[in-house]
Amino acid sequence: MTQAITPDLRRWIVAQVQAGQDADAVLQSMKTSGWDEDVAIEAMETTLREHLQAQAHARQLPPGVPVPEPSMGEAPLYLDAGDRRVTVLAAMTAPRIVVLGGLLTDAECDALMDAARPRLSRSLTVATATGGQEVNADRTSQGMFFERGESELTARIEARIARLLNWPVANGEGLQVLRYGPGTEYKPHYDYFDPEQPGTPTLLARGGQRVGTLVMYLNEPEKGGATTFPDVGLSVAPKRGNAVFFSYERAHPGTRTLHGGAPVLAGEKWIATKWLREGEFR
Ligand code: PD2
Ligand code: ZN
């Protein structure tokens, strides 16, 4: 009979060592409970090696920073966004993701699309090598940026977001509107700036890292176009007026905030994105 090195066994081994047992004592206990010596040694070696690697990895992570966060302390059904009451539809803690209902009115969605439409062009993404902008095959939408506070409409929405997420208006980039046609998508990516890229210092000069993202759905595609979080198997339906918020306290994949815009299969998808910075965005 082969003896399996189960997750329970691994946890038990780590717990013994953390409690101060030396390796020989742990091995002896395993043998006493019927483990074959070779299997027991193998289980201890692999478990402790992986445990030490994970610990080292965790210690090398840069420290986390404060991030935007809705007031979820008392598990509310609704959040006060100043001029509007927003519904909490779903929430996840790690990664921090909150799905929000009724953030924008239909009239606000229409007004944003109308104001953006004549200014759309092929979406650019940040060119990480230089800190400039470039056309990117992973992002086949059309887009535009509003200036922060550009109109009464954008200022009103920005104030609402600031209240909802407890984050200063001044720390937000201008709203970006994106339009996806049939067949277009936004391949999975992280919204923070990759610390390894040479262009990142230039990007950080304007308000520091991105620490949170709010994607607001302005219309409804007929099929497809969900916002997906592949690391946690989550898919958020693009329902008009609703939004998905997520935050990331360090620029690291360990945040599991990889996310993408799934291909639009029929119809068009329009969104407005608010990216939130650590500091004042100028
Ligand atoms: O359109 C989306 O759902 C989407 C997906 C991933 C938007 C963004 N990222 C973004 O604007 O950052
Ligand atoms: Zn994104």
Side-chain angles (χ1 to χ4, degrees):
M1 186 192 94
T2 57
Q3 296 180 314
I5 304 171
T6 61
D8 270 348
L9 175 62
R10 289 164 171 273
R11 275 192 288 274
W12 179 83
I13 292 172
V14 170
Q16 295 306 302
V17 172
Q18 280 174 337
Q21 295 280 356
D22 69 33
D24 276 343
V26 179
L27 184 60
Q28 210 47 57
S29 316
M30 286 182 72
K31 282 164 65 181
T32 308
S33 7
W35 287 89
D36 175 81
E37 179 162 14
D38 288 345
V39 176
I41 290 172
E42 154 96 16
M44 285 188 54
E45 278 179 354
T46 57
T47 301
L48 295 174
R49 190 185 322 118
E50 283 167 24
H51 177 67
L52 289 174
Q53 275 169 357
Q55 295 281 93
H57 186 71
R59 273 197 302 275
Q60 277 161 22
L61 289 178
V65 297
V67 296
E69 172 68 6
S71 302
M72 299 284 286
E74 292 174 298
L77 256 62
Y78 300 100
L79 292 166
D80 176 13
D83 62 347
R84 243 180 119 65
R85 193 179 75 155
V86 174
T87 313
V88 178
L89 295 176
M92 183 181 274
T93 47
R96 183 41 140 182
I97 300 174
V98 184
V99 182
L100 300 157
L103 176 60
L104 301 177
T105 66
D106 286 355
E108 287 168 337
C109 291
D110 287 340
L112 281 175
M113 290 189 287
D114 288 344
R117 193 174 283 106
R119 291 161 61 179
L120 291 176
S121 58
R122 173 76 191 268
S123 288
L124 301 175
T125 46
V126 166
T128 42
T130 60
Q133 301 231 304
E134 65 185 3
V135 170
N136 181 337
D138 288 348
R139 195 181 188 196
T140 44
S141 54
Q142 294 178 303
M144 57 77 65
F145 272 97
F146 289 106
E147 294 287 320
R148 198 173 58 221
E150 178 178 319
S151 64
E152 187 279 328
L153 173 70
T154 62
R156 185 195 327 148
I157 294 170
E158 283 160 354
R160 190 179 302 158
I161 294 169
R163 174 85 174 254
L164 180 71
L165 300 179
N166 299 299
W167 206 248
V169 168
N171 294 20
E173 298 182 29
L175 285 170
Q176 185 190 45
V177 172
L178 289 184
R179 172 195 165 275
Y180 300 79
T184 64
E185 67 183 307
Y186 195 171
K187 296 244 175 76
H189 59 273
Y190 299 97
D191 280 352
Y192 57 74
F193 305 121
D194 181 350
E196 302 297 319
Q197 290 295 324
T200 292
T202 310
L203 297 163
L204 296 181
R206 294 183 79 186
Q209 261 294 359
R210 285 182 177 160
V211 289
T213 303
L214 180 73
V215 175
M216 295 166 276
Y217 306 105
L218 304 181
N219 80 327
E220 285 166 24
E222 286 157 42
K223 268 189 235 159
T227 304
T228 60
F229 294 82
D231 288 349
V232 290
L234 177 68
S235 172
V236 178
K239 171 104 179 77
R240 178 166 153 109
N242 289 6
V244 59
F245 164 74
F246 55 100
S247 64
Y248 24 98
E249 61 181 21
R250 56 173 68 80
H252 193 276
T255 56
R256 300 198 295 168
T257 54
L258 185 70
H259 65 287
V264 173
L265 302 175
E268 285 188 349
K269 171 187 170 191
W270 289 71
I271 60 163
T273 299
K274 184 67 152 173
W275 283 301
L276 302 155
R277 299 288 192 111
E278 265 180 291
E280 197 172 319
F281 179 76
R282 272 167 278 114

